[in-house]
Amino acid sequence: MNFGVIGAGQMGGGIAQVAAQSGFDVLVQDVQQAFLDRGRATIEKSLAKLHEKGRLADAPDVVLGRIRFTMELQDFADSDLVVEAIVENEAVKAELFRTLGGIVKPSGILASNTSSIPITALASASGRPERFIGMHFMNPVPLMQLVEVIRGYQTSDETARIVTETAEQMGKTPLPCNDFPGFVSNRILMPMLNEAIQCVMEGVAEPEAIDGIMKLGMNHPMGPLTLADFIGLDTCLSIMEVLHRGLGDDKYRPSPLLRKMVQAGLLGRKSGQGFYTY
Ligand code: NAI
């Protein structure tokens, strides 16, 4: 299978890595060589770690050899499946899918790893709504089991079947849902993270205490503020805005502190500072 990935950030890099580990030929695109280099370095590091732990079937070099990096969208003409993992912005994603729809061969499936943007809207932009789907991996992709498979309004049964089988070939567990704001995962998760941020803003407790209470008290493997930093506060804000707009209830209103931190460029782990320092 010719497996395409657009965006070499935390998610795109992880998706490319797992696809290559599964034996697919992978092509990764990003807008700057520096982003491709960074993505490649992250994949190399992750492969080395998995190899050390004996969790890699092939040698790291062999897996890396299956991944090609490019800045040209034209290179996706022969892709069987392209998964998009660029910035969480509907206009930017729609523009990309409009372009891709004219490049990828007609039988190729286009998928978005979006956390919250309507699959049906992106499907329309692509011009091939039957062969369009949401393929929502979790972070970090090499370690997390779930792929949320989101059917748009016109996604065909065959597209859903192929994408489900592909996720299984990648060693993941695909679970189906329909196209509603935030799907299942983020509709339930994000309001909890947002509420934890609101607790910081109101001075209910210090971040360490909030995370500790949720870890020890609810048996969560990671506290909500650590998780928000890990996801990226910009991404969290975008998702809350989609939930707020799409579901129209004030319980989804983004915390003003979340908004302020994003305005200040404090995006969590990827910027070095969020609720914690990295
Ligand atoms: P990121 O900021 O780490 O990476 C995004 C990458 O896309 C960057 O390398 C950027 O240069 C590139 N990019 C931006 N515009 C582009 C364009 N027009 N063409 C090609 N490349 C472009 O972001 P991250 O965290 O990897 O998120 C990507 C997507 O995955 C978002 O839609 C996000 O909502 C979703 N997602 C994120 C999760 C997380 O935990 N961070 C979990 C699941 C989904």
Side-chain angles (χ1 to χ4, degrees):
M1 130 121 48
N2 284 331
F3 195 106
V5 179
I6 316 249
Q10 16 179 21
M11 295 305 291
I15 296 165
Q17 176 186 331
V18 173
Q21 284 173 219
S22 318
F24 300 145
D25 287 321
V26 185
L27 181 65
V28 185
Q29 190 264 4
D30 208 306
V31 288
Q32 280 186 31
Q33 188 59 43
F35 300 150
L36 291 173
D37 293 343
R38 190 185 52 194
R40 186 191 168 96
T42 306
I43 294 172
E44 268 179 297
K45 229 190 279 168
S46 172
L47 287 173
K49 244 194 246 167
L50 289 173
H51 179 65
E52 239 171 63
K53 292 184 184 155
R55 291 179 54 187
L56 212 54
D58 300 308
D61 278 357
V62 173
V63 177
L64 200 61
R66 295 190 189 119
I67 309 178
R68 283 187 302 133
F69 296 85
T70 183
M71 280 162 51
E72 297 300 327
L73 284 177
Q74 293 296 340
D75 293 349
F76 290 97
D78 201 31
S79 295
D80 299 301
L81 170 63
V82 180
V83 183
E84 164 276 319
I86 69 169
V87 61
E88 184 73 349
N89 175 306
E90 181 167 345
V92 179
K93 285 191 197 284
E95 180 57 33
L96 172 70
F97 280 119
R98 247 187 297 282
T99 309
L100 270 185
I103 291 174
V104 176
K105 64 185 175 187
S107 62
I109 293 174
L110 303 181
S112 177
N113 182 56
T114 179
S115 303
S116 62
I117 293 167
I119 296 302
T120 305
L122 298 178
S124 290
S126 77
R128 57 176 83 187
E130 312 79 24
R131 284 184 309 291
F132 195 100
I133 200 160
M135 198 175 185
H136 185 206
F137 290 84
M138 302 294 124
N139 188 10
V141 184
L143 303 183
M144 296 292 283
Q145 195 59 39
L146 174 69
V147 177
E148 196 176 26
V149 176
I150 307 120
R151 290 184 73 139
Y153 193 61
Q154 290 157 292
T155 303
S156 72
D157 290 345
E158 203 204 350
T159 297
R161 179 184 59 75
I162 292 171
V163 164
T164 300
E165 284 172 8
T166 304
E168 282 165 355
Q169 283 164 18
M170 293 170 80
K172 303 298 182 197
T173 304
L175 289 172
C177 71
N178 292 315
D179 187 21
F180 285 83
F183 320 130
V184 172
S185 53
N186 281 314
R187 180 171 177 161
I188 298 175
L189 172 68
M190 276 303 151
M192 184 183 71
L193 304 196
N194 194 54
E195 201 60 33
I197 296 168
Q198 196 61 19
C199 285
V200 176
M201 193 182 97
E202 292 177 16
V204 178
E206 293 298 318
E208 290 80 2
I210 293 170
D211 276 352
I213 286 165
M214 295 306 288
K215 271 170 68 177
L216 300 176
M218 320 303 153
N219 235 357
H220 290 187
M222 196 185 265
L225 299 167
T226 304
L227 181 54
D229 270 1
F230 190 64
I231 291 169
L233 300 188
D234 51 342
T235 299
C236 290
L237 177 59
S238 303
I239 297 170
M240 283 310 296
E241 280 170 339
V242 169
L243 291 175
H244 195 208
R245 254 198 325 271
L247 298 167
D249 191 311
D250 251 16
K251 73 180 174 190
Y252 301 107
R253 187 172 71 101
S255 167
L257 176 60
L258 172 60
R259 203 178 283 289
K260 213 179 291 177
M261 289 178 75
V262 172
Q263 283 166 350
L266 308 177
L267 306 182
R269 227 156 129 101
K270 64 180 161 189
S271 75
Q273 179 73 48
F275 293 97
Y276 302 97
T277 305
Y278 300 89

